[in-house]
Amino acid sequence: MARRSTNGMLEFAVLGLLHEAPMHGYELRKRLTAVLGPFRAISYGSLYPGLKELVAAGWIEEATDPAATALTGKRARISYNLTAEGKEHFASLAGEAGPTNWDDEPFGVRFAFFSRTREDVRLRILQGRRSRLEERVSALHDSMTRTRERLDDYTLELQRHGLERAEREVRWLGELIATEEHRQRTSPPDPRPAASH
Amino acid sequence: MARRSTNGMLEFAVLGLLHEAPMHGYELRKRLTAVLGPFRAISYGSLYPGLKELVAAGWIEEATDPAATALTGKRARISYNLTAEGKEHFASLAGEAGPTNWDDEPFGVRFAFFSRTREDVRLRILQGRRSRLEERVSALHDSMTRTRERLDDYTLELQRHGLERAEREVRWLGELIATEEHRQRTSPPDPRPAASH
DNA sequence: GTTAGCATGTAAGGAGTTACATGATTTT
DNA sequence: AAAATCATGTAACTCCTTACATGCTAAC
């Protein structure tokens, strides 16, 4: 079990995507790009070795296409599907709500798989992200109002814009949190994530 | 000349900061953090070896504090200052306006040193960044309106928020570009960056 | 039949981090 | 005199990218 695995985010996202359906590497990469955003797309040089490690860890399995394989002798494409351990492992990753999830990129990935995340964990992640951003807001605010340590006009403008963006995201998170809290109050206390097969 | 240097951004930022005044590593790191933002602060394990490389490249020089050094026998802190080649090298980096500067992080660093960048180069970087973001906007727009390939509700919400943020940055850049263009029309054609000592 | 895109990989290396290690100076 | 913070570094490792290499399949 668990040999030392790829990166957290790649692992998490691949496992999450394979819940939908088995996929081969090339397609996985496209879906990954949709989740991570086209500006931090993963390269094949990262993806394929990563998949190998997930196989070695026992979380996914290779499967060559049933029919057309040995028949033609041609190299068939490899489909990956989740194992039971993989599902379990994903569920355990999805249950963590620690500060690792509050940075920009991890948060985005975690958020993208919120529908497979328990409600209470969702809420804690949103709140953690928000307080992280509130820290950023007040740090920027301080840095800008300290008249000592004169900053470049352009640096200042950059900070002003960064501050506005952070404040905007705080508001956005506020709305999401309100929605989640409302959902929790009104829906029956269902402790199970929507993930069974 | 130029032995193979650290990373572009670290190199650029260090050289840019040392225009103001000589500094030692520890302080440099604090200023760097102010420029790069506290969320992508550079570590000492990166900074000190990087400084060594800049020294080896001949762009900066070490200088131990004049008085208090040999006198006490204590280890003195090391100040770094720009060499003439370093200034030249920075100017040449600051003159490049290619697509390398249009990603999130490089753009931020380039922007932070705009006051040492030629006006026409500033304008080209702002425009490049804007068209990069416009691509992002239309890619997101497409991805969201394609009703096929059903995305997760949360993924969708993330994209919606990302789209809004990108559109907002496009508008911000529009204003900056207008300001720069105005500056160029009204001020005398001064081809020299404000950098002399 | 050839170009474009699908599909899978490997080797080398870049850019950075963490953890460790050490010592000086300032503040409480 | 202890604690905090200033100050400088190294070794090992992680994660990822680029460049390369191969071959299949669909479209023009």
Side-chain angles (χ1 to χ4, degrees):
Chain A
M1 52 173 71
R3 287 190 24 65
R4 242 338 284 147
S5 69
T6 60
N7 168 31
M9 286 310 114
L10 179 55
E11 177 186 313
F12 182 76
V14 166
L15 260 25
L17 282 175
L18 289 181
H19 273 80
E20 298 170 21
M23 265 175 262
H24 51 270
Y26 193 88
E27 196 185 342
L28 216 29
R29 197 234 182 192
K30 284 193 301 185
R31 308 284 274 96
L32 236 23
T33 302
V35 169
L36 302 170
F39 295 91
R40 41 187 91 100
I42 207 83
S43 70
Y44 294 119
S46 223
L47 175 61
Y48 285 113
L51 288 173
K52 289 273 163 77
E53 287 176 54
L54 295 186
V55 170
W59 295 324
I60 63 178
E61 283 173 341
E62 297 188 354
T64 42
D65 257 330
T69 314
L71 173 69
T72 53
K74 318 260 178 163
R75 184 169 59 160
R77 48 190 211 171
I78 302 167
S79 256
Y80 294 93
N81 55 348
L82 268 185
T83 64
E85 294 82 39
K87 266 193 185 175
E88 228 174 278
H89 180 61
F90 177 82
S92 121
L93 292 175
E96 290 168 13
T100 341
N101 298 307
W102 303 342
D103 286 329
D104 293 326
E105 316 214 1
F107 172 74
V109 178
R110 290 303 312 263
F111 190 86
F113 291 99
F114 257 20
S115 51
R116 289 187 199 285
T117 302
R118 282 220 320 275
E119 284 186 3
D120 59 318
V121 176
R122 286 207 286 257
L123 199 51
R124 268 184 293 143
I125 291 175
L126 291 171
Q127 283 161 344
R129 172 70 178 170
R130 181 171 59 175
S131 64
R132 168 72 56 106
L133 280 169
E134 277 163 351
E135 281 169 32
R136 189 184 308 194
V137 164
S138 70
L140 278 171
H141 199 268
D142 288 1
S143 145
M144 288 174 67
T145 52
R146 262 197 308 272
T147 45
R148 58 189 58 199
E149 69 168 271
R150 290 295 305 132
L151 289 167
D152 203 289
D153 281 357
Y154 285 105
T155 303
L156 217 77
E157 177 56 25
L158 196 57
Q159 290 195 353
R160 208 199 48 68
H161 181 246
L163 178 62
E164 197 198 301
R165 183 212 279 161
E167 285 169 338
R168 199 164 287 279
E169 190 173 342
V170 167
R171 285 198 291 278
W172 179 66
L173 288 165
E175 288 162 29
L176 292 173
I177 287 167
T179 306
E180 290 290 334
E181 278 169 344
H182 178 74
R183 198 203 308 284
Q184 287 197 26
R185 276 197 314 274
T186 55
S187 74
D190 176 357
R192 172 140 0 269
S196 63
H197 58 278
Chain B
M1 50 173 75
R3 288 191 21 67
R4 238 344 278 146
S5 68
T6 60
N7 169 32
M9 285 311 113
L10 179 56
E11 176 185 314
F12 182 76
V14 166
L15 260 26
L17 283 175
L18 289 181
H19 272 80
E20 298 169 19
M23 265 175 262
H24 53 269
Y26 192 87
E27 194 185 345
L28 215 29
R29 197 234 181 190
K30 284 193 301 185
R31 307 284 274 99
L32 235 23
T33 301
V35 168
L36 302 171
F39 296 90
R40 40 188 92 99
I42 209 82
S43 69
Y44 295 119
S46 223
L47 175 61
Y48 285 114
L51 289 172
K52 289 271 164 76
E53 287 177 54
L54 295 185
V55 170
W59 294 325
I60 64 178
E61 282 172 343
E62 297 188 352
T64 42
D65 257 331
T69 314
L71 173 66
T72 53
K74 319 259 178 165
R75 186 168 58 162
R77 50 190 209 172
I78 303 168
S79 256
Y80 294 93
N81 55 348
L82 268 183
T83 63
E85 295 83 37
K87 266 193 184 177
E88 228 173 276
H89 180 62
F90 177 82
S92 121
L93 291 175
E96 291 168 12
T100 340
N101 298 307
W102 302 342
D103 286 329
D104 293 326
E105 315 213 2
F107 172 74
V109 178
R110 290 304 312 265
F111 190 87
F113 291 99
F114 257 20
S115 51
R116 290 187 199 285
T117 303
R118 283 219 321 273
E119 283 187 3
D120 59 318
V121 176
R122 286 206 286 256
L123 199 50
R124 269 184 292 142
I125 290 176
L126 290 172
Q127 283 161 344
R129 171 71 179 169
R130 181 169 60 174
S131 62
R132 167 71 56 107
L133 281 168
E134 277 163 350
E135 281 169 32
R136 189 183 306 193
V137 164
S138 69
L140 279 171
H141 200 268
D142 287 2
S143 145
M144 289 175 66
T145 52
R146 262 197 309 271
T147 45
R148 58 189 61 200
E149 66 166 276
R150 290 295 304 130
L151 289 167
D152 203 287
D153 280 356
Y154 286 105
T155 305
L156 217 78
E157 178 57 26
L158 196 58
Q159 290 196 354
R160 206 199 51 65
H161 182 247
L163 178 61
E164 198 199 299
R165 183 213 277 160
E167 285 170 338
R168 198 165 288 279
E169 190 173 342
V170 166
R171 286 199 289 278
W172 179 65
L173 288 165
E175 287 161 30
L176 292 171
I177 288 168
T179 306
E180 291 290 333
E181 277 169 344
H182 179 75
R183 196 203 311 283
Q184 285 198 26
R185 277 197 314 275
T186 56
S187 73
D190 177 359
R192 174 143 356 272
S196 63
H197 59 277

